[in-house]
PDB file of all heavy atoms in Angstrom:
ATOM      1  N   ALA B 243      -8.050  39.161 -25.576  1.00 98.00           N
ATOM      2  CA  ALA B 243      -7.684  40.528 -25.854  1.00 98.00           C
ATOM      3  C   ALA B 243      -8.285  41.458 -24.891  1.00 98.00           C
ATOM      4  O   ALA B 243      -7.590  42.468 -24.364  1.00 98.00           O
ATOM      5  CB  ALA B 243      -8.004  40.925 -27.264  1.00 98.00           C
ATOM      6  N   GLU B 244      -9.520  41.325 -24.556  1.00 98.00           N
ATOM      7  CA  GLU B 244     -10.197  42.209 -23.562  1.00 98.00           C
ATOM      8  C   GLU B 244      -9.464  42.139 -22.197  1.00 98.00           C
ATOM      9  O   GLU B 244      -9.210  43.154 -21.559  1.00 98.00           O
ATOM     10  CB  GLU B 244     -11.630  41.798 -23.369  1.00 98.00           C
ATOM     11  CG  GLU B 244     -12.478  42.304 -24.513  1.00 98.00           C
ATOM     12  CD  GLU B 244     -12.706  43.840 -24.525  1.00 98.00           C
ATOM     13  OE1 GLU B 244     -12.062  44.486 -23.665  1.00 98.00           O
ATOM     14  OE2 GLU B 244     -13.574  44.277 -25.320  1.00 98.00           O
ATOM     15  N   ARG B 245      -9.055  40.977 -21.754  1.00 97.00           N
ATOM     16  CA  ARG B 245      -8.349  40.922 -20.497  1.00 97.00           C
ATOM     17  C   ARG B 245      -7.005  41.589 -20.600  1.00 97.00           C
ATOM     18  O   ARG B 245      -6.485  42.359 -19.640  1.00 97.00           O
ATOM     19  CB  ARG B 245      -7.990  39.395 -20.156  1.00 97.00           C
ATOM     20  CG  ARG B 245      -9.231  38.582 -19.762  1.00 97.00           C
ATOM     21  CD  ARG B 245      -8.859  37.263 -19.177  1.00 97.00           C
ATOM     22  NE  ARG B 245      -8.092  36.396 -20.125  1.00 97.00           N
ATOM     23  CZ  ARG B 245      -8.699  35.506 -20.976  1.00 97.00           C
ATOM     24  NH1 ARG B 245     -10.040  35.432 -20.989  1.00 97.00           N
ATOM     25  NH2 ARG B 245      -8.005  34.792 -21.710  1.00 97.00           N
ATOM     26  N   GLU B 246      -6.208  41.563 -21.698  1.00 98.00           N
ATOM     27  CA  GLU B 246      -4.975  42.235 -21.849  1.00 98.00           C
ATOM     28  C   GLU B 246      -5.179  43.673 -21.985  1.00 98.00           C
ATOM     29  O   GLU B 246      -4.436  44.438 -21.395  1.00 98.00           O
ATOM     30  CB  GLU B 246      -4.310  41.665 -23.183  1.00 98.00           C
ATOM     31  CG  GLU B 246      -3.775  40.209 -22.970  1.00 98.00           C
ATOM     32  CD  GLU B 246      -3.601  39.526 -24.280  1.00 98.00           C
ATOM     33  OE1 GLU B 246      -3.852  39.994 -25.386  1.00 98.00           O
ATOM     34  OE2 GLU B 246      -2.932  38.437 -24.215  1.00 98.00           O
ATOM     35  N   LEU B 247      -6.244  44.124 -22.666  1.00 98.00           N
ATOM     36  CA  LEU B 247      -6.511  45.584 -22.786  1.00 98.00           C
ATOM     37  C   LEU B 247      -6.872  46.126 -21.340  1.00 98.00           C
ATOM     38  O   LEU B 247      -6.579  47.333 -21.122  1.00 98.00           O
ATOM     39  CB  LEU B 247      -7.551  45.857 -23.861  1.00 98.00           C
ATOM     40  CG  LEU B 247      -7.152  45.544 -25.267  1.00 98.00           C
ATOM     41  CD1 LEU B 247      -8.355  45.671 -26.180  1.00 98.00           C
ATOM     42  CD2 LEU B 247      -6.049  46.362 -25.745  1.00 98.00           C
ATOM     43  N   ALA B 248      -7.620  45.281 -20.632  1.00 97.00           N
ATOM     44  CA  ALA B 248      -8.094  45.837 -19.295  1.00 97.00           C
ATOM     45  C   ALA B 248      -6.877  46.140 -18.402  1.00 97.00           C
ATOM     46  O   ALA B 248      -7.007  47.080 -17.574  1.00 97.00           O
ATOM     47  CB  ALA B 248      -8.975  44.790 -18.669  1.00 97.00           C
ATOM     48  N   ALA B 249      -5.879  45.387 -18.518  1.00 97.00           N
ATOM     49  CA  ALA B 249      -4.615  45.589 -17.709  1.00 97.00           C
ATOM     50  C   ALA B 249      -4.045  46.950 -17.983  1.00 97.00           C
ATOM     51  O   ALA B 249      -3.403  47.537 -17.107  1.00 97.00           O
ATOM     52  CB  ALA B 249      -3.641  44.556 -17.994  1.00 97.00           C
ATOM     53  N   LEU B 250      -4.266  47.556 -19.109  1.00 97.00           N
ATOM     54  CA  LEU B 250      -3.800  48.841 -19.483  1.00 97.00           C
ATOM     55  C   LEU B 250      -4.423  50.110 -18.786  1.00 97.00           C
ATOM     56  O   LEU B 250      -3.871  51.124 -18.609  1.00 97.00           O
ATOM     57  CB  LEU B 250      -3.829  49.108 -20.983  1.00 97.00           C
ATOM     58  CG  LEU B 250      -3.126  48.106 -21.916  1.00 97.00           C
ATOM     59  CD1 LEU B 250      -3.446  48.437 -23.420  1.00 97.00           C
ATOM     60  CD2 LEU B 250      -1.530  48.091 -21.675  1.00 97.00           C
ATOM     61  N   ASP B 251      -5.717  49.763 -18.294  1.00 95.00           N
ATOM     62  CA  ASP B 251      -6.412  50.797 -17.623  1.00 95.00           C
ATOM     63  C   ASP B 251      -5.669  51.374 -16.364  1.00 95.00           C
ATOM     64  O   ASP B 251      -6.011  52.486 -16.028  1.00 95.00           O
ATOM     65  CB  ASP B 251      -7.854  50.264 -17.299  1.00 95.00           C
ATOM     66  CG  ASP B 251      -8.643  50.003 -18.559  1.00 95.00           C
ATOM     67  OD1 ASP B 251      -8.307  50.579 -19.647  1.00 95.00           O
ATOM     68  OD2 ASP B 251      -9.675  49.270 -18.424  1.00 95.00           O
ATOM     69  N   SER B 252      -4.941  50.534 -15.790  1.00 93.00           N
ATOM     70  CA  SER B 252      -4.353  50.935 -14.481  1.00 93.00           C
ATOM     71  C   SER B 252      -2.991  51.525 -14.600  1.00 93.00           C
ATOM     72  O   SER B 252      -2.398  51.909 -13.709  1.00 93.00           O
ATOM     73  CB  SER B 252      -4.244  49.702 -13.558  1.00 93.00           C
ATOM     74  OG  SER B 252      -3.444  48.691 -14.074  1.00 93.00           O
ATOM     75  N   LEU B 253      -2.496  51.640 -15.899  1.00 96.00           N
ATOM     76  CA  LEU B 253      -1.127  52.225 -16.158  1.00 96.00           C
ATOM     77  C   LEU B 253      -1.162  53.706 -15.790  1.00 96.00           C
ATOM     78  O   LEU B 253      -1.949  54.448 -16.317  1.00 96.00           O
ATOM     79  CB  LEU B 253      -0.694  51.939 -17.557  1.00 96.00           C
ATOM     80  CG  LEU B 253      -0.308  50.524 -17.947  1.00 96.00           C
ATOM     81  CD1 LEU B 253       0.049  50.509 -19.376  1.00 96.00           C
ATOM     82  CD2 LEU B 253       0.691  49.921 -17.060  1.00 96.00           C
ATOM     83  N   PRO B 254      -0.264  54.188 -14.971  1.00 95.00           N
ATOM     84  CA  PRO B 254      -0.131  55.629 -14.707  1.00 95.00           C
ATOM     85  C   PRO B 254       0.444  56.424 -15.866  1.00 95.00           C
ATOM     86  O   PRO B 254       1.162  55.628 -16.729  1.00 95.00           O
ATOM     87  CB  PRO B 254       0.845  55.653 -13.472  1.00 95.00           C
ATOM     88  CG  PRO B 254       1.667  54.405 -13.605  1.00 95.00           C
ATOM     89  CD  PRO B 254       0.820  53.296 -14.258  1.00 95.00           C
ATOM     90  N   TYR B 255       0.272  57.544 -15.939  1.00 96.00           N
ATOM     91  CA  TYR B 255       0.952  58.414 -16.928  1.00 96.00           C
ATOM     92  C   TYR B 255       2.298  58.855 -16.571  1.00 96.00           C
ATOM     93  O   TYR B 255       2.408  59.615 -15.510  1.00 96.00           O
ATOM     94  CB  TYR B 255      -0.013  59.519 -17.367  1.00 96.00           C
ATOM     95  CG  TYR B 255       0.650  60.445 -18.427  1.00 96.00           C
ATOM     96  CD1 TYR B 255       0.862  59.924 -19.705  1.00 96.00           C
ATOM     97  CD2 TYR B 255       1.008  61.672 -18.189  1.00 96.00           C
ATOM     98  CE1 TYR B 255       1.525  60.720 -20.702  1.00 96.00           C
ATOM     99  CE2 TYR B 255       1.563  62.568 -19.204  1.00 96.00           C
ATOM    100  CZ  TYR B 255       1.852  62.119 -20.444  1.00 96.00           C
ATOM    101  OH  TYR B 255       2.339  62.847 -21.468  1.00 96.00           O
ATOM    102  N   LEU B 256       3.420  58.416 -17.083  1.00 95.00           N
ATOM    103  CA  LEU B 256       4.753  58.652 -16.694  1.00 95.00           C
ATOM    104  C   LEU B 256       5.462  59.199 -17.943  1.00 95.00           C
ATOM    105  O   LEU B 256       5.448  58.697 -19.009  1.00 95.00           O
ATOM    106  CB  LEU B 256       5.407  57.432 -16.163  1.00 95.00           C
ATOM    107  CG  LEU B 256       4.729  56.790 -14.907  1.00 95.00           C
ATOM    108  CD1 LEU B 256       5.484  55.470 -14.632  1.00 95.00           C
ATOM    109  CD2 LEU B 256       4.798  57.683 -13.738  1.00 95.00           C
ATOM    110  N   THR B 257       6.379  60.223 -17.635  1.00 93.00           N
ATOM    111  CA  THR B 257       7.362  60.666 -18.686  1.00 93.00           C
ATOM    112  C   THR B 257       8.686  60.846 -18.000  1.00 93.00           C
ATOM    113  O   THR B 257       9.434  61.917 -18.374  1.00 93.00           O
ATOM    114  CB  THR B 257       6.847  61.976 -19.206  1.00 93.00           C
ATOM    115  OG1 THR B 257       6.695  63.040 -18.190  1.00 93.00           O
ATOM    116  CG2 THR B 257       5.502  61.883 -20.003  1.00 93.00           C
ATOM    117  N   GLN B 258       9.040  59.971 -17.158  1.00 88.00           N
ATOM    118  CA  GLN B 258      10.296  60.084 -16.375  1.00 88.00           C
ATOM    119  C   GLN B 258      11.513  59.677 -16.998  1.00 88.00           C
ATOM    120  O   GLN B 258      12.633  59.916 -16.493  1.00 88.00           O
ATOM    121  CB  GLN B 258      10.052  59.253 -15.015  1.00 88.00           C
ATOM    122  CG  GLN B 258      10.033  57.737 -15.341  1.00 88.00           C
ATOM    123  CD  GLN B 258       9.593  56.972 -14.091  1.00 88.00           C
ATOM    124  OE1 GLN B 258       8.523  57.096 -13.651  1.00 88.00           O
ATOM    125  NE2 GLN B 258      10.486  56.151 -13.551  1.00 88.00           N
ATOM    126  N   SER B 259      11.378  59.098 -18.158  1.00 94.00           N
ATOM    127  CA  SER B 259      12.570  58.468 -18.810  1.00 94.00           C
ATOM    128  C   SER B 259      12.598  58.710 -20.311  1.00 94.00           C
ATOM    129  O   SER B 259      11.408  58.767 -20.872  1.00 94.00           O
ATOM    130  CB  SER B 259      12.790  57.049 -18.472  1.00 94.00           C
ATOM    131  OG  SER B 259      13.904  56.552 -19.235  1.00 94.00           O
ATOM    132  N   VAL B 260      13.718  58.781 -20.999  1.00 96.00           N
ATOM    133  CA  VAL B 260      13.730  58.621 -22.418  1.00 96.00           C
ATOM    134  C   VAL B 260      13.488  57.172 -22.689  1.00 96.00           C
ATOM    135  O   VAL B 260      14.214  56.267 -22.128  1.00 96.00           O
ATOM    136  CB  VAL B 260      15.099  59.098 -22.974  1.00 96.00           C
ATOM    137  CG1 VAL B 260      15.207  58.719 -24.539  1.00 96.00           C
ATOM    138  CG2 VAL B 260      15.321  60.549 -22.792  1.00 96.00           C
ATOM    139  N   VAL B 261      12.499  56.925 -23.530  1.00 97.00           N
ATOM    140  CA  VAL B 261      12.150  55.544 -23.840  1.00 97.00           C
ATOM    141  C   VAL B 261      12.456  55.241 -25.314  1.00 97.00           C
ATOM    142  O   VAL B 261      11.915  56.039 -26.274  1.00 97.00           O
ATOM    143  CB  VAL B 261      10.756  55.178 -23.567  1.00 97.00           C
ATOM    144  CG1 VAL B 261      10.199  53.845 -24.060  1.00 97.00           C
ATOM    145  CG2 VAL B 261      10.555  55.330 -22.060  1.00 97.00           C
ATOM    146  N   HIS B 262      13.188  54.242 -25.592  1.00 96.00           N
ATOM    147  CA  HIS B 262      13.427  53.983 -27.012  1.00 96.00           C
ATOM    148  C   HIS B 262      12.216  53.570 -27.768  1.00 96.00           C
ATOM    149  O   HIS B 262      11.958  54.054 -28.986  1.00 96.00           O
ATOM    150  CB  HIS B 262      14.521  52.726 -27.119  1.00 96.00           C
ATOM    151  CG  HIS B 262      14.921  52.326 -28.493  1.00 96.00           C
ATOM    152  ND1 HIS B 262      14.066  51.466 -29.235  1.00 96.00           N
ATOM    153  CD2 HIS B 262      15.977  52.615 -29.252  1.00 96.00           C
ATOM    154  CE1 HIS B 262      14.676  51.249 -30.376  1.00 96.00           C
ATOM    155  NE2 HIS B 262      15.794  51.995 -30.460  1.00 96.00           N
ATOM    156  N   GLY B 263      11.419  52.764 -27.242  1.00 93.00           N
ATOM    157  CA  GLY B 263      10.102  52.326 -27.817  1.00 93.00           C
ATOM    158  C   GLY B 263      10.137  51.143 -28.714  1.00 93.00           C
ATOM    159  O   GLY B 263       9.048  50.571 -29.021  1.00 93.00           O
ATOM    160  N   ASP B 264      11.249  50.623 -29.100  1.00 90.00           N
ATOM    161  CA  ASP B 264      11.368  49.380 -29.834  1.00 90.00           C
ATOM    162  C   ASP B 264      12.686  48.714 -29.595  1.00 90.00           C
ATOM    163  O   ASP B 264      13.520  48.387 -30.476  1.00 90.00           O
ATOM    164  CB  ASP B 264      11.220  49.734 -31.370  1.00 90.00           C
ATOM    165  CG  ASP B 264      11.062  48.326 -32.203  1.00 90.00           C
ATOM    166  OD1 ASP B 264      10.832  47.401 -31.556  1.00 90.00           O
ATOM    167  OD2 ASP B 264      11.193  48.498 -33.425  1.00 90.00           O
ATOM    168  N   LEU B 265      12.945  48.456 -28.241  1.00 93.00           N
ATOM    169  CA  LEU B 265      14.219  47.914 -27.819  1.00 93.00           C
ATOM    170  C   LEU B 265      14.364  46.462 -27.971  1.00 93.00           C
ATOM    171  O   LEU B 265      14.721  45.725 -27.056  1.00 93.00           O
ATOM    172  CB  LEU B 265      14.482  48.409 -26.371  1.00 93.00           C
ATOM    173  CG  LEU B 265      15.955  48.503 -25.928  1.00 93.00           C
ATOM    174  CD1 LEU B 265      16.685  49.476 -26.864  1.00 93.00           C
ATOM    175  CD2 LEU B 265      15.984  49.023 -24.489  1.00 93.00           C
ATOM    176  N   GLY B 266      13.851  45.904 -29.125  1.00 89.00           N
ATOM    177  CA  GLY B 266      13.994  44.528 -29.353  1.00 89.00           C
ATOM    178  C   GLY B 266      15.468  44.170 -29.619  1.00 89.00           C
ATOM    179  O   GLY B 266      16.330  45.016 -29.966  1.00 89.00           O
ATOM    180  N   ALA B 267      15.737  42.916 -29.521  1.00 92.00           N
ATOM    181  CA  ALA B 267      17.160  42.401 -29.675  1.00 92.00           C
ATOM    182  C   ALA B 267      17.808  42.784 -30.948  1.00 92.00           C
ATOM    183  O   ALA B 267      18.988  42.971 -31.091  1.00 92.00           O
ATOM    184  CB  ALA B 267      17.226  40.922 -29.505  1.00 92.00           C
ATOM    185  N   GLU B 268      16.939  42.835 -32.047  1.00 91.00           N
ATOM    186  CA  GLU B 268      17.534  43.190 -33.376  1.00 91.00           C
ATOM    187  C   GLU B 268      18.024  44.663 -33.507  1.00 91.00           C
ATOM    188  O   GLU B 268      18.715  44.957 -34.440  1.00 91.00           O
ATOM    189  CB  GLU B 268      16.404  42.951 -34.444  1.00 91.00           C
ATOM    190  CG  GLU B 268      15.243  43.923 -34.494  1.00 91.00           C
ATOM    191  CD  GLU B 268      14.188  43.618 -33.440  1.00 91.00           C
ATOM    192  OE1 GLU B 268      14.319  42.653 -32.688  1.00 91.00           O
ATOM    193  OE2 GLU B 268      13.254  44.413 -33.442  1.00 91.00           O
ATOM    194  N   ASN B 269      17.597  45.506 -32.532  1.00 93.00           N
ATOM    195  CA  ASN B 269      18.031  46.868 -32.650  1.00 93.00           C
ATOM    196  C   ASN B 269      19.228  47.210 -31.714  1.00 93.00           C
ATOM    197  O   ASN B 269      19.606  48.346 -31.618  1.00 93.00           O
ATOM    198  CB  ASN B 269      16.810  47.767 -32.185  1.00 93.00           C
ATOM    199  CG  ASN B 269      15.828  47.854 -33.340  1.00 93.00           C
ATOM    200  OD1 ASN B 269      16.097  47.778 -34.438  1.00 93.00           O
ATOM    201  ND2 ASN B 269      14.531  47.999 -32.953  1.00 93.00           N
ATOM    202  N   VAL B 270      19.692  46.199 -30.961  1.00 97.00           N
ATOM    203  CA  VAL B 270      20.801  46.381 -30.087  1.00 97.00           C
ATOM    204  C   VAL B 270      22.095  45.788 -30.686  1.00 97.00           C
ATOM    205  O   VAL B 270      21.975  44.428 -30.939  1.00 97.00           O
ATOM    206  CB  VAL B 270      20.592  45.898 -28.650  1.00 97.00           C
ATOM    207  CG1 VAL B 270      21.628  46.197 -27.737  1.00 97.00           C
ATOM    208  CG2 VAL B 270      19.238  46.563 -28.191  1.00 97.00           C
ATOM    209  N   LEU B 271      23.167  46.392 -30.939  1.00 96.00           N
ATOM    210  CA  LEU B 271      24.306  45.791 -31.625  1.00 96.00           C
ATOM    211  C   LEU B 271      25.494  45.572 -30.633  1.00 96.00           C
ATOM    212  O   LEU B 271      25.672  46.473 -29.716  1.00 96.00           O
ATOM    213  CB  LEU B 271      24.778  46.833 -32.718  1.00 96.00           C
ATOM    214  CG  LEU B 271      23.763  47.146 -33.797  1.00 96.00           C
ATOM    215  CD1 LEU B 271      24.401  47.984 -34.866  1.00 96.00           C
ATOM    216  CD2 LEU B 271      23.162  45.897 -34.423  1.00 96.00           C
ATOM    217  N   TRP B 272      26.133  44.588 -30.868  1.00 97.00           N
ATOM    218  CA  TRP B 272      27.200  44.145 -29.963  1.00 97.00           C
ATOM    219  C   TRP B 272      28.513  43.848 -30.723  1.00 97.00           C
ATOM    220  O   TRP B 272      28.452  43.309 -31.849  1.00 97.00           O
ATOM    221  CB  TRP B 272      26.817  42.821 -29.208  1.00 97.00           C
ATOM    222  CG  TRP B 272      25.581  43.114 -28.413  1.00 97.00           C
ATOM    223  CD1 TRP B 272      24.275  42.944 -28.931  1.00 97.00           C
ATOM    224  CD2 TRP B 272      25.357  43.382 -27.060  1.00 97.00           C
ATOM    225  NE1 TRP B 272      23.388  43.155 -27.862  1.00 97.00           N
ATOM    226  CE2 TRP B 272      23.944  43.494 -26.819  1.00 97.00           C
ATOM    227  CE3 TRP B 272      26.272  43.660 -25.978  1.00 97.00           C
ATOM    228  CZ2 TRP B 272      23.459  43.750 -25.491  1.00 97.00           C
ATOM    229  CZ3 TRP B 272      25.752  43.966 -24.820  1.00 97.00           C
ATOM    230  CH2 TRP B 272      24.392  44.044 -24.537  1.00 97.00           C
ATOM    231  N   GLU B 273      29.640  44.059 -30.077  1.00 97.00           N
ATOM    232  CA  GLU B 273      30.875  43.603 -30.603  1.00 97.00           C
ATOM    233  C   GLU B 273      31.569  42.699 -29.616  1.00 97.00           C
ATOM    234  O   GLU B 273      31.395  42.906 -28.331  1.00 97.00           O
ATOM    235  CB  GLU B 273      31.791  44.763 -30.868  1.00 97.00           C
ATOM    236  CG  GLU B 273      31.338  45.729 -31.937  1.00 97.00           C
ATOM    237  CD  GLU B 273      32.324  46.914 -32.224  1.00 97.00           C
ATOM    238  OE1 GLU B 273      32.478  47.702 -31.338  1.00 97.00           O
ATOM    239  OE2 GLU B 273      32.721  47.032 -33.365  1.00 97.00           O
ATOM    240  N   TRP B 274      32.331  41.715 -30.040  1.00 96.00           N
ATOM    241  CA  TRP B 274      32.828  40.658 -29.133  1.00 96.00           C
ATOM    242  C   TRP B 274      34.356  40.932 -28.865  1.00 96.00           C
ATOM    243  O   TRP B 274      35.078  41.181 -29.789  1.00 96.00           O
ATOM    244  CB  TRP B 274      32.682  39.306 -29.743  1.00 96.00           C
ATOM    245  CG  TRP B 274      31.242  38.886 -29.731  1.00 96.00           C
ATOM    246  CD1 TRP B 274      30.219  39.282 -30.522  1.00 96.00           C
ATOM    247  CD2 TRP B 274      30.616  38.064 -28.727  1.00 96.00           C
ATOM    248  NE1 TRP B 274      28.986  38.718 -30.179  1.00 96.00           N
ATOM    249  CE2 TRP B 274      29.233  37.956 -29.110  1.00 96.00           C
ATOM    250  CE3 TRP B 274      31.103  37.227 -27.673  1.00 96.00           C
ATOM    251  CZ2 TRP B 274      28.327  37.115 -28.409  1.00 96.00           C
ATOM    252  CZ3 TRP B 274      30.190  36.388 -26.946  1.00 96.00           C
ATOM    253  CH2 TRP B 274      28.828  36.487 -27.289  1.00 96.00           C
ATOM    254  N   THR B 275      34.803  40.857 -27.627  1.00 95.00           N
ATOM    255  CA  THR B 275      36.121  41.054 -27.213  1.00 95.00           C
ATOM    256  C   THR B 275      36.463  39.993 -26.120  1.00 95.00           C
ATOM    257  O   THR B 275      35.721  39.874 -25.044  1.00 95.00           O
ATOM    258  CB  THR B 275      36.378  42.443 -26.675  1.00 95.00           C
ATOM    259  OG1 THR B 275      36.018  43.391 -27.684  1.00 95.00           O
ATOM    260  CG2 THR B 275      37.855  42.595 -26.358  1.00 95.00           C
ATOM    261  N   GLN B 276      37.433  39.185 -26.375  1.00 94.00           N
ATOM    262  CA  GLN B 276      37.880  38.116 -25.442  1.00 94.00           C
ATOM    263  C   GLN B 276      36.722  37.274 -24.968  1.00 94.00           C
ATOM    264  O   GLN B 276      36.536  37.013 -23.810  1.00 94.00           O
ATOM    265  CB  GLN B 276      38.502  38.795 -24.173  1.00 94.00           C
ATOM    266  CG  GLN B 276      39.775  39.497 -24.595  1.00 94.00           C
ATOM    267  CD  GLN B 276      40.456  40.171 -23.416  1.00 94.00           C
ATOM    268  OE1 GLN B 276      39.897  40.421 -22.342  1.00 94.00           O
ATOM    269  NE2 GLN B 276      41.824  40.396 -23.531  1.00 94.00           N
ATOM    270  N   GLY B 277      35.861  37.000 -25.905  1.00 94.00           N
ATOM    271  CA  GLY B 277      34.792  35.978 -25.685  1.00 94.00           C
ATOM    272  C   GLY B 277      33.456  36.577 -25.037  1.00 94.00           C
ATOM    273  O   GLY B 277      32.569  35.874 -24.668  1.00 94.00           O
TER     274      GLY B 277
END
Side-chain angles (χ1 to χ4, degrees):
E244 282 290 7
R245 290 193 297 271
E246 292 163 346
L247 295 175
L250 300 175
D251 292 340
S252 62
L253 290 180
Y255 179 62
L256 301 173
T257 60
Q258 69 193 62
S259 180
V260 173
V261 170
H262 179 278
D264 188 13
L265 205 57
E268 71 281 0
N269 287 327
V270 184
L271 303 184
W272 305 83
E273 295 179 301
W274 289 77
T275 304
Q276 299 180 338

